[in-house]
Amino acid sequence: MMHSLKDDKRIDPEKLPRHIAIIMDGNGRWAKQHGKARVQGHEAGARSVRAVIEACRELSVPVLSLYAFSTENWRRSAGEVNALFRLLSKYIHKEIGELHKNDIRVRFMGRWEGLPKRAVDDLRYCIELTKDNQSLTVNVAINYGGRAEIVDAARSLIKKGVAPDKLTEELFAQALYQPEFSEVDLLIRTSGEVRVSNFMLWQISYAEMQFPEVLWPDFSKEHLCDAIAEYQSRKRRFGGR
Ligand code: IPE
Ligand code: IPE
Ligand code: MG
């Protein structure tokens, strides 16, 4: 019988990160390791998405941001891009009932322009259905770029006619895609690559970062608990002493 994650003695429930962001990397390498097609790597990655969502909810982590498709991922082959969006719709249809039942709220970060119509419809449905849910918020980053987000924020502030001397960091943060969640406490990138690849550039300014070697399809609840325990062992100083 599996213990509840809340029984993990290494984790202090009083010091949980309030916002975890994950760069889900390594699906292609996982597929290669297993002699499978890249698409099958992405399919396997979808199971890890389910696991981390469940884990965050069990532990009462309030916000999880997931990097699913970057503004640079359009450079991949049309076949892979189409497969990723097909998988997104399949995932939504398969999981939405359970997500809603578990009181999980889904939000979107990214540019709507350029997304396939089916993805737009499925995402909008999912966001609308779950908008009043309270247990965990999952921000999915699709057609997302940190620089694009900053440019979009600047555009919206200029359109509102904000005067230059009235612009503050707080006001700027209010113009980001999900202004309620403008600080990331813990950033995890799987697969051993040590870079941020244009993810949440504004929000990670004081995030604790971890780069576990594990490939995304192998990332489990246990790995998330390891990351949280490691996070809690660090001393965050925010420039102070
Ligand atoms: C991450 O896995 C998934 C997406 C970027 C959509 P990759 O597809 O980048 O896997 P690797 O880096 O080739 O192993
Ligand atoms: C970052 O991974 C994007 C996502 C996980 C969605 P990539 O695999 O696209 O990043 P690079 O190309 O290795 O920097
Ligand atoms: Mg990659």
Side-chain angles (χ1 to χ4, degrees), residues 172-183:
F172 196 92
Q174 285 308 308
L176 297 171
Y177 292 145
Q178 294 296 340
E180 285 168 75
F181 314 118
S182 65
E183 299 293 334

Side-chain angles (χ1 to χ4, degrees), residues 157-168:
L157 292 161
I158 293 166
K159 272 190 200 143
K160 275 193 203 139
V162 172
D165 57 347
K166 290 280 181 287
L167 182 58
T168 59

Side-chain angles (χ1 to χ4, degrees), residues 18-105:
R18 282 149 305 160
H19 186 176
I20 299 178
I22 306 183
I23 302 173
M24 311 182 286
D25 197 17
N27 295 350
R29 278 161 283 169
W30 182 93
K32 196 162 185 201
Q33 263 183 14
H34 291 77
K36 296 182 178 189
R38 291 184 62 83
V39 186
Q40 290 174 289
H42 298 311
E43 268 169 17
R47 294 196 284 276
S48 298
V49 172
R50 176 173 232 250
V52 293
I53 290 175
E54 278 176 14
C56 285
R57 183 172 164 274
E58 281 174 46
L59 290 164
S60 312
V61 170
V63 185
L64 173 67
S65 293
L66 297 174
Y67 204 6
F69 192 89
S70 74
T71 48
E72 289 73 39
N73 286 147
W74 296 107
R75 292 178 187 151
R76 298 188 180 197
S77 73
E80 182 170 352
V81 169
N82 290 340
L84 280 166
F85 283 105
R86 255 200 323 277
L87 206 62
L88 173 73
S89 288
K90 192 173 141 193
Y91 184 88
I92 291 175
H93 286 275
K94 194 163 150 250
E95 302 285 338
I96 186 64
E98 181 91 359
L99 290 169
H100 188 43
K101 197 180 88 206
N102 287 334
D103 202 26
I104 291 164
R105 178 169 65 167

Side-chain angles (χ1 to χ4, degrees), residues 5-23:
L5 295 184
K6 290 210 166 193
D7 298 335
D8 190 323
K9 292 283 179 296
R10 299 173 305 159
I11 296 179
D12 177 352
E14 303 296 319
K15 283 170 39 193
L16 287 169
R18 282 149 305 160
H19 186 176
I20 299 178
I22 306 183
I23 302 173

Side-chain angles (χ1 to χ4, degrees), residues 208-229:
E208 292 299 326
M209 299 189 183
Q210 295 185 34
F211 301 92
E213 294 282 333
V214 55
L215 300 174
W216 178 247
D218 293 325
F219 194 83
S220 64
K221 291 184 179 186
E222 201 53 43
H223 290 108
L224 189 76
C225 289
D226 294 346
I228 293 173

